[in-house]
Amino acid sequence: MKNFIVLILASLLALTGCGPKTPTISTNDQIRIAVEETIAAVPTYTPYPFPTFAPTPTPVSLSGIFCEYQFCIGHPNDMAFFDVSAQHNPAAPSTMSQGLLAAYNASLFIQVVWQNAPGVTDPQFMIDTILQYGADTRNGSVEQISVGNIKAFYIPITPTASAVSTLPYGGAAAWTCSGRAFAWKAYTTQPDLAKTLLQAALQRFTCDQ
């Protein structure tokens, strides 16, 4: 009887060893999935007919301010940033040296990413980094924007396919501060609004020296 039980247990262990393995998801894939899930959660709506005249961007107040990880940045008061890194891996949240934040409502999506970059004077590589998180595409030429003592590089973008039907416009930017490189992007419902939002966000941007 004991030999029979041992045989059964050995068979079960062998079958377990032959079972399907749980695939390992890379960090980049986790971030891509997070962005897609975030955008998918934004409510859809029936778009209004396009007017025959060029619309004036609706002002968006950036009276809110996010201060953590030894930097501060402005954002709309009705939106709160959440830590994308911590959401998908609680054991590896954002830190001062690197991180990824996102915030959204029905008409706006904002993302901020940063990493250590001592000695870097041209942060444009960070634009490519933040665009990869959503498979966005460039839609224009890079221009330099100065806000206070921040010199940022900005470019219009076309949002990822999962977002463009609801938030068809966007922009991305990158800058450096105290040995770190930052990148920011936004999906919006209005053309040129992302650039206006960036300037307002940078007016309240500070980082520890």
Side-chain angles (χ1 to χ4, degrees):
M1 183 65 178
K2 289 183 179 179
N3 290 338
F4 178 73
I5 293 173
V6 169
L7 181 61
I8 293 296
L9 290 174
S11 300
L12 289 174
L13 288 173
L15 289 173
T16 302
C18 296
K21 301 276 193 301
T22 302
T24 301
I25 302 176
S26 69
T27 301
N28 284 342
D29 284 340
Q30 289 177 348
I31 292 171
R32 176 182 56 77
I33 292 169
V35 172
E36 291 177 354
E37 290 175 348
T38 301
I39 293 300
V42 176
T44 58
Y45 63 95
T46 303
Y48 292 102
F50 286 106
T52 56
F53 57 88
T56 300
T58 302
V60 176
S61 172
L62 269 76
S63 57
I65 187 165
F66 173 90
C67 286
E68 204 169 333
Y69 309 112
Q70 295 185 310
F71 73 89
C72 295
I73 191 167
H75 63 82
N77 198 41
D78 63 342
M79 298 172 64
F81 279 114
F82 63 91
D83 189 337
V84 178
S85 300
Q87 179 174 327
H88 285 269
N89 187 357
S94 295
T95 64
M96 178 187 170
S97 60
Q98 64 178 13
L100 174 64
L101 306 174
Y104 71 93
N105 61 25
S107 59
L108 180 62
F109 174 82
I110 300 176
Q111 197 171 58
V112 180
V113 62
W114 66 94
Q115 66 181 57
N116 276 345
V120 169
T121 57
D122 185 353
Q124 293 188 62
F125 71 94
M126 289 293 287
I127 293 178
D128 292 328
T129 298
I130 202 166
L131 295 189
Q132 288 173 3
Y133 291 150
D136 312 300
T137 55
R138 294 171 178 246
N139 189 23
S141 301
V142 175
E143 63 175 298
Q144 190 166 331
I145 298 174
S146 294
V147 179
N149 61 350
I150 298 294
K151 297 186 185 303
F153 295 89
Y154 173 82
I155 188 168
I157 64 172
T158 298
T160 178
S162 59
V164 73
S165 61
T166 304
L167 303 172
Y169 307 102
W175 65 93
T176 61
C177 184
S178 296
R180 286 188 286 177
F182 293 83
W184 175 101
K185 76 176 178 184
Y187 302 157
T188 71
T189 58
Q190 303 174 50
D192 300 323
L193 179 57
K195 184 177 179 180
T196 302
L197 290 174
L198 170 67
Q199 292 171 322
L202 291 181
Q203 285 174 358
R204 308 192 73 187
F205 180 84
T206 59
C207 72
D208 287 358
Q209 301 298 320

